[in-house]
Amino acid sequence: MHDMAASGAGFAGVTYSAFSGWADRPTDFAPMPEGELTCDIAVVGGGYAGMAAALRLAEHGADVVLLESGFCGWGGSSRNAGYLSNALAGDPQLLNTLYARRLPGLVRYADEAARFTERLIGRLAIDCDYEPTGNVIAAVSPGQLRRTERNAAILRRAGADVEFVEGRGFGLPHTFLGGVFERAGGLLNPGKFALGLRAALLASDVRTYERTTVRAVEPHASGAVVHVTGGRVHAERVVLATNAYSRDLAIAPRRMVTPVWTSLVETEPIAPERLAATGWTRRTGIITPHTILENYRPTPHGTIMFGTRRLRTTRGPLGAREPDDAVVADLLRGFHERFPSLGDVAARRAWGGWIAMTSSLLPVAGEAAKNVFYAIGCNGHGLAQSPYLGTLLADRLAGDRTHEDLAAVWRPRPRFAPSVLSTPTLHAAWTLDRISDRVAHRVHRRRTLSSPNR
Ligand SMILES: Cc1cc2nc3c(=O)[nH]c(=O)nc-3n(C[C@H](O)[C@H](O)[C@H](O)COP(=O)(O)OP(=O)(O)OC[C@H]3O[C@@H](n4cnc5c(N)ncnc54)[C@H](O)[C@@H]3O)c2cc1C
């Protein structure tokens, strides 16, 4: 049981956490800075992106300071569902329409991100229960199945390592009909991964400061001044790895990200034979192709973890937050629909976190102002992409040529279109998904009744 002490009991007796169910908060905080510090590069934010960037810069011999307002791993990096995926965010057909020419480069970037992060886990010997199972974008209706077949073809044409698979033969639960099998990546414990990166960081030459909030970054001709609680850091260059929290900093480009709150629920342990009886004989992670996805994955503790469906956003501050009852109730409804034979299985705990959505659906990296760079916004796909993006930006700042995968997401100007994500549009997307579920359910019932031997 992890770090649930400060949490309250919520819907159906589920224990809510304002952190994560994957890992405990560390107790060995890095110090807070005092007075004036000087360094080559200051990294703001200690998630996957910031930690990977700082580690790589230190490997290049740079004098690096990392500033994190909570502890390294406090954000989405310890909270996520643990899908190490080689996918981009967004429906492939939409991406193909919007970015036809760029798609092969973007696909290569996402694929390499999964392989890079796999190698990083091995290189740093991080024990994070990694299982290289791949993941499946799995359909729950014939309409979705046709869409996934078409999407698999689009992705393969763009060079992705995916294939279209049929559900039963592949070992998906019976209610999933088949879909796009992403061969790269798999499932891991993101809390262990984040804290493993943190341990590597604290053992490195990077000067790490925790419980240190950056209030402002002031660029000037030969560097930048970073203002923190209790002091200032003078750096030649600054990396913003602040993800969903970026809009709290005036230096971050306007409208770069929209913070979206996404939630996860974990069941009680389920007997292996009951899990196998659902048809889920392969331990792949499952993601549905709804407008707002659903995800279901087995965990090493014999439980199922599931999430998303209902998203929240806010114009206010992104403080500590617990899941809300309506979201947890809806996630449970989804779980019971997808796993009807597990209707008696209780949910034990729930938590959530902020992801950074961009209006382009693509991750972004670039220069916010002179000497101030950013690597942000993997749209809920940052487990593989954020460490990779942070590393690629670090290589560029250390003087290497711009890698083609960094070029694929680099923004020549820090200008961003307004986001369509708001409370009403997120609610509308969720409603559409529920209507399409209901229609699919009715069609399925009608077919079953008219041909009982099917
Ligand atoms: C519930 C959930 C499920 C998800 N599931 C998946 C998944 O299965 N697969 C996947 O690929 N991705 C998933 N994601 C997304 C993934 O977790 C993120 O894309 C990734 O963690 C982003 O890493 P990051 O380093 O950019 O940001 P974060 O981990 O959010 O780190 C940003 C850090 O910056 C710090 N910070 C911000 N502002 C300041 C400041 N002013 N001063 C100092 N520090 C600051 C924050 O405290 C935070 O620690 C999920 C996310 C959530 C929340």
Side-chain angles (χ1 to χ4, degrees):
M1 175 68 71
H2 290 297
D3 202 44
M4 309 300 283
S7 316
F11 179 81
V14 178
T15 305
Y16 291 175
S17 166
F19 178 45
S20 167
W22 287 114
D24 293 324
R25 291 166 208 251
T27 47
D28 59 335
F29 291 116
M32 292 187 256
E34 281 171 29
E36 309 274 322
L37 297 176
T38 306
C39 64
D40 296 337
I41 301 191
V43 176
V44 185
Y48 299 143
M51 289 194 278
L55 279 168
R56 183 66 145 224
L57 284 161
E59 280 166 21
H60 280 291
D63 176 20
V64 188
V65 161
L66 184 141
L67 305 153
E68 162 56 49
S69 63
F71 51 85
C72 292
W74 155 252
S77 295
S78 286
R79 298 158 184 263
N80 64 69
Y83 290 66
L84 182 71
S85 158
N86 67 343
L88 294 157
D91 178 67
Q93 190 173 38
L94 176 67
L95 296 177
N96 194 36
T97 307
L98 295 175
Y99 311 112
R101 257 188 328 117
R102 290 174 67 190
L103 195 60
L106 292 166
V107 160
R108 190 200 51 231
Y109 152 83
D111 202 51
E112 186 48 33
R115 296 178 200 286
F116 167 85
T117 300
E118 234 173 19
R119 289 195 299 272
L120 184 67
I121 292 166
R123 187 160 66 84
L124 298 178
I126 298 177
D127 169 15
C128 57
D129 305 329
Y130 178 51
E131 296 179 62
T133 51
N135 293 296
V136 185
I137 313 293
V140 296
S141 69
Q144 283 190 354
L145 190 66
R146 285 191 294 278
R147 192 142 57 86
T148 53
E149 188 163 16
R150 187 193 60 212
N151 283 344
I154 291 172
L155 290 168
R156 282 178 68 83
R157 268 200 307 278
D161 188 8
V162 299
E163 76 177 287
F164 177 73
V165 294
E166 297 283 350
R168 291 231 173 167
F170 187 75
L172 290 176
H174 300 316
T175 49
F176 295 85
L177 308 179
V180 184
F181 175 42
E182 304 166 354
R183 269 191 284 259
L187 296 170
L188 55 75
N189 176 327
K192 282 188 172 181
F193 178 45
L195 294 182
L197 276 177
R198 179 178 181 269
L201 186 76
L202 296 182
S204 75
D205 290 337
V206 175
R207 285 180 283 156
T208 301
Y209 297 94
E210 295 184 320
R211 292 178 293 175
T212 303
T213 298
V214 170
R215 307 283 174 200
V217 178
E218 236 179 278
H220 56 75
S222 57
V225 182
V226 181
H227 297 261
V228 298
T229 325
R232 290 191 304 181
V233 182
H234 302 267
E236 285 174 18
R237 278 166 302 167
V238 176
V239 171
L240 303 178
T242 40
N243 203 35
Y245 310 85
S246 300
R247 69 173 188 193
D248 292 347
L249 284 174
I251 189 85
R254 212 163 69 85
R255 305 193 295 219
M256 180 168 63
V257 296
T258 303
V260 169
W261 177 262
T262 162
S263 309
L264 289 173
V265 177
E266 186 179 3
T267 66
E268 63 185 338
I270 303 167
E273 58 279 10
R274 288 197 69 192
L275 204 55
T278 67
W280 204 357
T281 49
R282 237 182 222 244
R283 289 179 64 82
T284 45
I286 295 171
I287 301 144
T288 68
H290 287 88
T291 317
I292 302 178
L293 62 81
E294 294 171 26
N295 55 266
Y296 302 91
R297 60 157 290 183
T299 74
H301 340 118
T303 63
I304 296 179
M305 182 175 296
F306 49 97
T308 313
R309 271 170 80 108
R310 262 191 136 154
L311 300 171
R312 304 289 200 214
T313 186
T314 180
R315 289 170 190 272
L318 309 185
R321 179 177 171 136
E322 291 183 355
D324 61 78
D325 288 352
V327 174
V328 173
D330 181 59
L331 284 171
L332 274 166
R333 252 191 311 278
F335 172 65
H336 292 139
E337 271 167 41
R338 310 297 172 222
F339 294 89
S341 66
L342 301 180
D344 60 318
V345 169
R348 279 281 162 80
R349 43 196 190 157
W351 64 93
W354 292 106
I355 59 172
M357 295 298 292
T358 60
S359 50
S360 62
L361 289 173
L362 302 179
V364 290
E367 198 166 356
K370 193 166 167 48
N371 302 318
V372 181
F373 298 82
Y374 58 86
I376 283 163
C378 295
N379 296 284
H381 286 62
L383 174 45
Q385 293 179 31
S386 301
Y388 189 46
L389 201 52
T391 302
L392 292 177
L393 179 58
D395 287 344
R396 178 182 160 127
L397 296 185
D400 287 4
R401 67 169 181 85
T402 301
H403 192 286
E404 55 185 348
D405 289 344
L406 184 61
V409 299
W410 191 260
R411 305 283 299 203
R413 279 184 303 281
R415 298 219 187 99
F416 295 90
S419 167
V420 296
L421 297 177
S422 63
T423 300
T425 57
L426 289 174
H427 186 74
W430 173 81
T431 307
L432 270 179
D433 284 336
R434 297 299 71 81
I435 292 171
S436 77
D437 275 357
R438 231 170 286 147
V439 171
H441 184 67
R442 256 187 239 137
V443 171
H444 176 73
R445 268 193 53 200
R446 220 175 298 137
R447 282 195 188 151
T448 317
L449 288 175
S450 62
S451 55
N453 295 330
R454 280 163 69 96

